[in-house]
Amino acid sequence: MGRLLALRTLESILEMLMSEIRYGKATLPESCGQLAQRLPEPYSRCLREVQLEAGKGASFQEVFCLQMEACMRELPLKREDRELFLQSFQGQGFRDGAMQLKRLEQGLSQLAGRIGLLEQEQREKCRIAVGLGAMSGLLLLIILI
């Protein structure tokens, strides 16, 4: 459950970054500063650090990946989840605003796919738990009779 919640938060971070770039015409470091004000810990702390470090002239991609990796270690995420989120911020062609949006959209769709799979898996586990509970109740009833 915690993993799914963390993935949904990461999904909303991507959506908010896209919104800040698309409609606010903000740079990525500025967008991180805006998001830091709206998100809970540990995300706000990491995004503030990204804004500060990128403002000092460091590469946004490197700073973002390092800070978010440290942030996501505190969360109940698997390594694959962290890599899936961070791949949107790695690679060439990240200076152009249109390319930034395209990369973020790709990451968002991949993250949404992962969330969909986890939700389906969780529903199946709930069905199994209910079925096992009913069967164990019947078994107990048969034993007591």
Side-chain angles (χ1 to χ4, degrees):
M1 190 64 158
R3 179 180 176 205
L4 195 55
L5 182 61
L7 284 172
R8 285 185 183 138
T9 304
L10 293 177
E11 182 181 39
S12 68
I13 288 173
L14 287 178
E15 289 171 343
M16 287 188 273
L17 280 173
M18 288 171 50
S19 175
E20 288 290 330
I21 293 169
R22 186 175 286 137
Y23 303 113
K25 303 295 183 203
T27 64
L28 282 168
E30 292 170 350
S31 300
C32 288
Q34 294 293 324
L35 295 183
Q37 297 173 8
R38 294 184 276 185
L39 291 169
E41 289 295 334
Y43 307 104
S44 63
R45 175 177 27 100
C46 293
L47 291 171
R48 262 187 253 109
E49 287 295 321
V50 168
Q51 183 186 24
L52 292 174
E53 293 295 321
K56 294 178 184 175
S59 165
F60 173 81
Q61 292 167 289
E62 293 173 12
V63 171
F64 186 86
C65 289
L66 287 173
Q67 289 296 327
M68 289 306 289
E69 179 67 35
C71 173
M72 289 187 292
R73 282 191 196 118
E74 301 173 19
L75 303 173
L77 294 171
K78 292 185 176 181
R79 181 181 52 81
E80 302 87 36
D81 298 335
R82 295 191 299 265
E83 289 173 358
L84 182 67
F85 176 74
L86 291 176
Q87 79 182 13
S88 301
F89 299 92
Q90 297 169 341
Q92 297 296 320
F94 211 69
R95 299 217 186 271
D96 178 26
M99 188 55 122
Q100 290 173 355
L101 285 172
K102 184 177 179 180
R103 296 286 301 268
L104 292 175
E105 286 171 355
Q106 289 172 346
L108 184 61
S109 69
Q110 291 175 345
L111 204 55
R114 174 76 50 93
I115 289 171
L117 288 174
L118 286 174
E119 287 174 339
Q120 181 180 358
E121 184 180 298
Q122 188 175 23
R123 280 192 299 271
E124 290 172 7
K125 286 180 181 178
C126 286
R127 284 188 205 128
I128 290 171
V130 169
L132 287 174
M135 288 174 44
S136 63
L138 286 173
L139 179 64
L140 184 61
L141 185 63
I142 290 171
I143 291 173
L144 290 175
I145 292 179

